[in-house]
Amino acid sequence: MDKYVCTVCANVYDPHIGDPESGVLPGTLFENLPTDWTCPVCGSPKNKYRQLSQGEIDKFTQDGFGKYI
């Protein structure tokens, strides 16, 4: 399952984890997040997130996210 990365702050939304602090249960797909859901770190809207595979996330965390976002 792909993860989603905030292009503003590099927070990773992992559907397996959800966003419990915002009431989003584990297993919630990104496309099923509430329309008013925002990044729990910087407050950016959903449209600031980019879908990445685990391999891409591993690479950007190793090399620095700015090269890929």
Side-chain angles (χ1 to χ4, degrees):
M1 188 178 300
D2 286 346
K3 298 177 184 178
Y4 295 78
V5 178
C6 178
T7 60
V8 176
C9 72
N11 177 63
V12 176
Y13 177 77
D14 182 345
H16 288 108
I17 297 170
D19 181 13
E21 292 180 11
S22 297
V24 177
L25 298 174
T28 302
L29 298 175
F30 186 81
E31 53 270 11
N32 293 336
L33 289 171
T35 55
D36 61 348
W37 181 83
T38 59
C39 175
V41 175
C42 71
S44 293
K46 283 174 54 174
N47 66 1
K48 293 295 184 182
Y49 275 74
R50 179 175 169 207
Q51 182 177 5
L52 296 177
S53 68
Q54 185 60 53
E56 291 171 312
I57 289 173
D58 292 344
K59 184 155 181 58
F60 100 72
T61 53
Q62 178 182 13
D63 295 345
F65 88 95
K67 295 169 86 173
Y68 304 99
I69 304 286

